Amino acid sequence: MSKRSSIASWFYILLLVVAPMNAPAQSKEYQIKAAFLFNFAQFVNWPSGAFPGTNAPFCIGVLGDDPFSGALDATIQGETIDNHKIIVERSQNVADLKNCQMIFVSKSERKHVAEILSALDSKPILTVSEVDGFAERGGGINFYLAGTKVRFEINPGVAQSDGLKISAQLLSLGKIVQSAKEDK
Amino acid sequence: MNWLKKLPLKRKITLVILLTCSAVLLLACGVLAAYQLFDFRRTLVRDSIVLADVIGKNTRAALAFQDENSAQQTLSTLQSEPYVSAACLYDANGNEFANYVQSGSGVQLPAHPPAAGHYFELGHLALFHPIILNGKQIGTIYLQTELKGMYNRLRVSAGVALLVLLGSCLVAVLLAAPLQKPISGPILVLAEAVRNIAQRKDYTVRVPAQDSNETGLLTEAFNQLLAGIEERDKALRGEIAERKGAEGKVQSQLARLELLHSITRAISERLDLQSIFQVVIRTLEDNLPIDLICICLYEQNANVLTVVGLGTSGAALATQLGLSREARVPIDENGLSQCVRGRLVYESDVSGAKFPFPQRLAQAGLRSFVAAPLLVESKVFGALIAARKQTEGFSSGDCEFLKQLSGHVALAAHQAQLYEALQQAYDDLRQTQQAVMQQERLKALGQMASGIAHDINNAISPVALYTESLLEKEPNLSARARDYLGTIQHAIEDVSHTVARMREFYRQREQQLALTPVNLNQMIQQVIDLSRARWSDMPQQRGIFIKIETDLAAALPPVMGVESEIREALVNLIFNAVDAMPNGGTLALRTKISGKPARLAQVEVTDTGIGMDEDVRKRCLEPFFTTKGERGTGLGLAMVYGTVRRHNADIEIESAPGKGTTFRINFPVPAMPAGAPAKDAAPFVVPSRLRILVVDDDPLLIKSLRDTLETDGHVIVTAGGGQEGITAFRHAYERKEPFAAVITDLGMPYVDGRQVASAIKGISPSTPVILLTGWGQRLVAEGDIPAHVNHVLNKPPKLRDLREALAQTLSSTKS
Ligand SMILES: Nc1ncnc2c1ncn2[C@@H]1O[C@H](COP(=O)(O)OP(=O)(O)OP(=O)(O)O)[C@@H](O)[C@H]1O
Ligand SMILES: [Mg+2]
């Protein structure tokens, strides 16, 4: 073994030890959430008008700060939904993401949830967030943690009014919530 | 498979139908079952796949969103599927995600799923089905389905099939019964016919014609075959009958041969004529259909046949014919005469016969007879006559057989005769030998005894003479002296008697014996006296007592015999009787008369001793036969027997072990009893004062003679030896004072009594010479009075005898 390669291997070992400290449990959580995002796309039917064209890609928008740190990109790598290529677009502005079919509203946009939702109202866009009360407030799906497990709430009324069809299976897995605002 | 061969035709056909039906049905059922199994499995797999697919689709979301609870719920819906015993959900990495196990089934789930597909394992089907989401496998579902259901359904099918099979078989059997009839019927008829024929051997039977197909042909062919057999059978029967006839002849010939052989063997074992004839007659009677059979001996001189053997079965016929044993049949011309000339005579029908013997037979109802000569060395010595009531009663075979047989019989008879002669010769020889032996023995004893007797006689002679003289002549004898002298005289007499008997007993036997009348009663008394030592003294010494009984017939006639021999025989019998009673007993001597007028005089010697067993009794007369070991010579009874034979008497012995013994001698009584010439006791006168020369070598005797004779008044000159006596006589003669008589002893050294007598007769023939001898009686009995001796006197001489002798001789020489 050469001196150089031995130094390299020490480096790797150090990296392995340090990595969990740099990338806390959050990264695992977001890996799962990224997979869930992709899976949502598979259990939800978008109306044909949701895509600008037949060859248009399926776009997942990340609004606000991206918490996935690449996990989302890894998840959708090479995947398609109904023959649509999947792409991820990131923006701080909801208007940039009007062509997306699914928008993940980051925690960073917690304060603007109402504006964002109203901006997207009646558009066939599935909104997903991880902000408490997101679904009640008129969001589509909202992540929450049950212990260590990632679970989600669905507001089927919002989703369906936007012309999306959520599969019964998905509905059976999620916690069903109603829009509090509208009821009031 | 043997049982199948033995099965009756009907059953066999039924069985064939049955088996065929069942085989076809079984095949059909088998194929059906196989197809059903295959179909069941296919359906099962298909259903399982559908089920797996449904469950997979329903759990896709749960898998995608890692919701185990939801998946678990979905799987638990499988409870409604009874045959699904277990299910398991694996995620994309093959890790178990959710599972379901039917309660109570205890199934072990595979930890990792293998490649997708289905596997039939023991009792269940294992199915691994991929769960696809959006073209990607996101997991695998495993379903384990029990095959129980399938098997149950199969079992039901099998039951149904079995029922169908049984039903079919039943129908087949029911149908087979009438259906097989046209096939088996004709064959059974044929078989029955064959069996009947085989049993009864009746080939005239025909099987009724049947339909015109193959069985009809078969029946016809069979009938033709039967016709053929019937013909052959007839021919065969004829042949067999012929053969049987021939065989019968051979058989009877063989039987004859066998008979001949057995008779020959039987008679060759026999050696006396009578039993040979008896065997022949009995065997012939038993084996041949003969009504009368007899054997006759031929007497050439008288020209008659004497019947010596007769069959018992023809006894009645024989008496009717006057043919009994010893009957004499005169020989007539033609018939029997041919036979005695050595030819076999066969008369096939005697009803019209002209000759007396055949006529006699015909009168008794006999029709045919055979007379076979008994020939030895071409001489006829007898004839075998067999007769039957039938005419033509004897075949040529029978005649030949009888001829052969008579040859054998003749030979055997001849041999028996030869044997008898031989036996006779042997017996004679034996007797001679025995006599010689006895003679030798007695000779030695006799010599010794005479010596002793002689000496005793010499010794007691003076005593006798003095005693007698004293008693006669001595005056003034006291009564006591006279008494004593009388006793002495008696004793001397006893002694002299005893010695005399002893001498007699051992007397040497002469070749020619003069038979004299013997009084057996007297003889018995004598013998008892003579053997007293043996039956009285010797046993008494040992403390044994033997009682003597006599029972004598008063009028017993005298028999002709040699006294001494009979005496010896009786003594021997007494000795044996005494020997047989070592512990004492009774010895009985009897005489009896048998027949009237007396034919036999019987003497019995009976003892109560140990007796003899059969074997000893038979052999006891043999010389040298003894049971007494060293003590006996075995000659006693042999001698007795010799004596008995010489006297034409016979001896009977009755004895049994422990029962005593009786010997009985039967003497023939002569027709004319020879009266013993009565002794005339003529008075005699003795001249007195005679000059007598007494010659003896014994001084004591000389002295006593001189003393007693001088007392009688004679002048006695004595000489102490033969030569001296002769000299004295010559001198006296020359001096002209001759002796009137000479008394000389017989036994003297150098010159004995005979020489003296002859010398004296040479000098003076008229001078009587009286010989005194210890052997006197013997000489007289034997008629051996030496020449030149006028009178013989026994020692011890009695004065009276001496005087008588002197008187007689003097008177006779004078006249
Ligand atoms: N009265 C008897 N009782 C029993 N046995 C007898 C009698 N007389 C003869 N016998 C038998 O017959 C045998 C032959 O007798 P026999 O007189 O010939 O010879 P022996 O007596 O033996 O010898 P021997 O007479 O020379 O002394 C005897 O040995 C004895 O066994
Ligand atoms: Mg004896």
Side-chain angles (χ1 to χ4, degrees), chain B residues 572-573 575-576 579 628 632-637:
Chain B
N572 261 307
L573 292 181
F575 282 5
N576 281 347
D579 285 343
K628 298 172 190 167
T633 62
L635 284 174
L637 286 181

Side-chain angles (χ1 to χ4, degrees), chain B residues 441 572 576-577 579-580 607 610-612 616 620 622 625-628 631-638 661 663:
Chain B
R441 174 176 159 221
N572 261 307
N576 281 347
D579 285 343
D607 65 61
I610 52 173
M612 291 180 270
V616 174
C620 67
E622 282 177 24
F625 177 81
T626 177
T627 57
K628 298 172 190 167
R631 285 191 300 114
T633 62
L635 284 174
L637 286 181
T661 306
F663 280 90

